[in-house]
Amino acid sequence: MSQPQLGPLAPLDKKKPFAGLTAWQKGLAVLPLLLVAVGGLIGGVLGALAMLTNVKIARSQVSTPVKAMAMLGVTAAALVVLLVTAAALSTALNG
């Protein structure tokens, strides 16, 4: 029987990624999923990747304010990537 890892390098439980997170951590973790409303499939993929990143940040051993700012930063970065991708696709398709 293997011992579970603790700390920032602990693997995510794929069946229960939100287990053990507080309400505010869950809220900030799923916030990037709102990109699906703005960007459709591309927004959904970026949102899902950002959500997984936020869950890893929430499980890290840094202080609460740093976690919150990092999770918001990941969400903002995902939005910027979505907007840049949309602009590039629009330019490529419309000339």
Side-chain angles (χ1 to χ4, degrees):
M1 184 167 163
S2 67
Q3 295 292 325
Q5 293 181 354
L6 299 176
L9 300 178
L12 284 177
D13 182 3
K14 294 186 193 285
K15 294 182 182 179
K16 298 179 187 176
F18 301 109
L21 298 182
T22 62
W24 72 267
Q25 289 173 329
K26 290 176 187 176
L28 286 181
V30 299
L31 185 62
L33 293 180
L34 293 176
L35 292 177
V36 75
V38 177
L41 178 64
I42 296 170
V45 170
L46 289 172
L49 292 173
M51 182 197 73
L52 292 174
T53 303
N54 278 346
V55 169
K56 287 186 179 190
I57 291 170
R59 295 188 186 282
S60 69
Q61 298 296 322
V62 297
S63 67
T64 300
V66 173
K67 282 182 190 181
M69 293 303 295
M71 292 170 80
L72 289 171
V74 166
T75 302
L79 176 62
V80 168
V81 169
L82 174 64
L83 294 175
V84 169
T85 303
L89 285 173
S90 177
T91 301
L93 294 175
N94 297 326

